[in-house]
Each structure stands twice: as C-alpha cells, then as structure tokens.
Amino acid sequence: MKTSILNIICCMLITSVAFAQNRNNQIPVLKVQPNSTVAYSGNLANGKQIADLSWAANSSVACFPATKNQKFSGNHVFYTTTIPKRSEMFIKVIPKNKKQNFSLYAYQVGAANNQLPPNLSSCVTCEADYKWDYKRRGKTQDHTRQVHLNAINNPYKVVIVVVGAEGLTSGDFTLEIKLNGGEEMIAMTSEVKVTKIITKGAITTVNGNLNKGGLIQDLSWAANSSVACFPATQNKKFRGNHVLYETTIPKYSEMFIKVIPKNKNQNFSLYAYQVGINNEQLPPKLSSCVTCEADYKWDRKWRGKTQDHTRKVRVNAINRSYKIVIGVVGAEGVTEGDFDLEIEIKKR
C-alpha cells in the first residue's frame, strides 16, 4: 500500500538528457510514474534532419499533412516512453528561446515495434502540433507545443519527437510529460458490498465505520468521461476503504449528502452518483451514470472558501426518481474510522 501511494504522488523531476542521435541512433527512454509530471532538458543540436517526410501524410500514420512539411524541416530529437493502459499522457515542449519556432509530434505503436521515421509504415495514432499559419477564433498559441495521447485497454510504446521548424537545427528546450492514471492494478482485498438506506423525514443519519468497506484499487472508472466523478490526479484521495450505500432520490427534489468523521483529524472523501432505479453496477465496474459528484481534501486554499473535516455533495432530480449510490472513502490508505452519514432531501 505504501508503494502504491508513493507512486501516485505528483512530482516534477528535471533531468538533463544529452545524446548524439546523428552518430549512434540511441534514443533516450524516458520514465514517468502514474499521476505525475516529469521534465527533461534537451537541444535540437542532438537530433538530425529527416529529408523524407512522406511517411507523416500516409493515411496509416496521419501525423501531419504534406503542406506542413516546412514546420518539420529542422532537426528531429527522438525520445521514447510507455503509456500504461487506463491513462492519458500530455506532452509539451517549451523552447528556452521564445522566439524560436519549434514543432512536436508523438505516436503510439506496439511495445515490440521499432520502426522510426522515415521508415514508419503505420501506428496506432499520431498527434502533432506546430505554429499556426493564422489565428483561430477563441484560441491562442504561444511558443510552446503540446499533444495529448491516451490508452484504454493496452499499454503502448510512445515515440516523442521535438522538431525545429523551417530548418532550425539548434535550440535548448524542456520536454514535459504529464501522465494521468496508469497505476498497476492489484486484486481487491475484500468485496465491497452496498447497504440500502430508506430515508425517513427531511434528514436521515446513518452511523458507519470504514472498516466495514473494502479497497477499490482500480479507480479508472471515476475518470472515465461517461462517469466524470474525480480526475485520476486525485486517486490518492480514494485509496482507503470504500463504504457503499444505496438510496433513492424522489423526482422534483434535491439531496444533500454529508459525511462527518468522528475523528476530526482523519482524512475522508465522499462521492455519490445517480443511475436508473434498476441499474446494479457498482465501482469498479461502473461504466456510466447520469451524474457523479465528489468531495475531498483540497490541495490548496480557495479564495473566499473554507473546508473542515466534513465532506459534502449535492444531487438533484427533476422529472423522475433515481438510485443514488454513495461512497464514503478513507483518503490515502485510511481503512478504519467512525463516521456519521447525513442525507437531507428538499423539495424543488
């Protein structure tokens, strides 16, 4: 458990990487831990130009059109890393000289695929970013370039290439890689059962203890866009025992849910999601829901707001009633602790 918690701590590591690709074709292997950010420094002088860019416009690669080849005519500096399954990767290049014109591309291939441009015949996906030829309504661009990749059921090798535009062959830069998700999943220590609550009156209070729940190691469901409960960067706030409850919100009503730890020094989290009355899905096998709300300890203070040891969420129903599944959770590995769960229903 300690190792799992440490692996998801977001950090920034600056590492200098220097190599002579044009002499020995060695490509640095970059490492990034789940739910963390790393940064590596480099220089375009350590790369090489690629005269044949036809591979990029090939339909089986589809990285950038041939009309943009000039944006990739300078030195190409190669890196490789791995994107784990159930994760998103955000890649950004930051030129030291803001006036220098850089480009960036990254593609995903199988772990055993060693093809490199200009001999890349196909890939799972390739994303590129370069200086725009004209302004785009509602958007701005600075000297940085960035791309986004994701993996669902399988890990992939990722080849990242920092490029000088319009023949640029020298220039310092920082390559930043942010990985959301990607933790190694292990078996749950115990089955997480759900307790039904029948609300009585305006406010219903239930006593509980985290030791009645269980760990849910796979939290990828929460960051899924069809659930959108909490981002993978906050997984550590949900690494303790989950105690699940089920109740119903009537139509034309609002439900206010609050967990009150008996020990004010214990760190709790809370989530609640709405599904159809007959939906029996529970985490980690929740594929979608009407809405999901979560509350957890803030990483920083918010202007004009305060937070104590309690956690609270609100859900509502309009034209129909819904099943509400509530998760009371210990943050950062907490598996024991008494609490009161308070459910208040108000008519809309």
Side-chain angles (χ1 to χ4, degrees), residues 293-311:
E293 302 295 334
D295 192 23
Y296 40 84
K297 187 175 181 180
W298 301 339
D299 293 319
R300 59 184 177 87
K301 293 183 178 180
W302 296 89
R303 181 178 296 179
K305 297 182 179 181
T306 59
Q307 186 183 50
D308 58 15
H309 65 295
T310 68
R311 305 289 180 256

Side-chain angles (χ1 to χ4, degrees), residues 190-225:
S190 59
E191 181 182 359
V192 183
K193 298 180 179 179
V194 62
T195 301
K196 292 186 178 182
I197 298 175
I198 299 176
T199 55
K200 298 179 179 180
I203 299 178
T204 301
T205 301
V206 176
N207 308 119
N209 191 298
L210 290 176
N211 61 20
K212 301 300 182 181
L215 300 176
I216 298 179
Q217 295 292 352
D218 182 0
L219 295 172
S220 59
W221 57 272
N224 189 317
S225 60

Side-chain angles (χ1 to χ4, degrees), residues 15 99 120 152 157 178 260 266 276:
T15 305
K99 295 182 179 180
L120 179 65
I152 301 176
K157 176 190 290 186
K178 179 181 179 181
I260 309 166
Q266 282 194 306

Side-chain angles (χ1 to χ4, degrees), residues 69-201:
N69 282 359
Q70 188 63 19
K71 314 280 186 176
F72 298 86
S73 58
N75 276 5
H76 292 229
V77 182
F78 285 77
Y79 301 91
T80 185
T81 188
T82 299
I83 182 170
K85 60 183 178 180
R86 297 185 293 269
S87 67
E88 292 181 293
M89 182 173 285
F90 299 85
I91 304 166
K92 184 177 184 180
V93 62
I94 309 167
K96 185 175 181 179
N97 184 343
K98 294 183 179 181
K99 295 182 179 180
Q100 286 190 311
N101 188 2
F102 276 59
S103 298
L104 174 70
Y105 64 90
Y107 61 86
Q108 293 174 248
V109 289
N113 188 326
N114 294 316
Q115 290 184 343
L116 295 173
N119 299 315
L120 179 65
S121 60
S122 65
C123 63
V124 177
T125 186
C126 184
E127 301 294 334
D129 192 25
Y130 41 82
K131 186 177 181 179
W132 301 339
D133 294 321
Y134 57 88
K135 291 183 178 180
R136 300 178 183 181
R137 182 178 296 178
K139 296 183 179 181
T140 59
Q141 186 183 48
D142 58 15
H143 64 297
T144 68
R145 306 289 180 256
Q146 46 201 327
V147 296
H148 168 226
L149 302 174
N150 68 79
I152 301 176
N153 296 321
N154 297 292
Y156 293 99
K157 176 190 290 186
V158 174
V159 178
I160 303 167
V161 190
V162 180
V163 190
E166 301 178 352
L168 185 65
T169 58
S170 179
D172 290 312
F173 62 83
T174 297
L175 179 65
E176 181 180 291
I177 306 172
K178 179 181 179 181
L179 181 63
N180 286 348
E183 302 102 325
E184 182 180 354
M185 298 304 154
I186 59 177
M188 291 171 54
T189 57
S190 59
E191 181 182 359
V192 183
K193 298 180 179 179
V194 62
T195 301
K196 292 186 178 182
I197 298 175
I198 299 176
T199 55
K200 298 179 179 180

Side-chain angles (χ1 to χ4, degrees), residues 222 228-238 259 267-271 293-300 302 306-313 329-332:
C229 201
F230 51 86
T233 53
Q234 300 298 332
N235 280 358
K236 64 182 178 180
K237 310 291 178 66
F238 298 85
V259 62
N267 188 3
F268 275 58
S269 298
L270 175 69
Y271 61 86
E293 302 295 334
D295 192 23
Y296 40 84
K297 187 175 181 180
W298 301 339
D299 293 319
R300 59 184 177 87
W302 296 89
T306 59
Q307 186 183 50
D308 58 15
H309 65 295
T310 68
R311 305 289 180 256
K312 57 190 78 171
V313 296
V329 191
E332 300 181 354

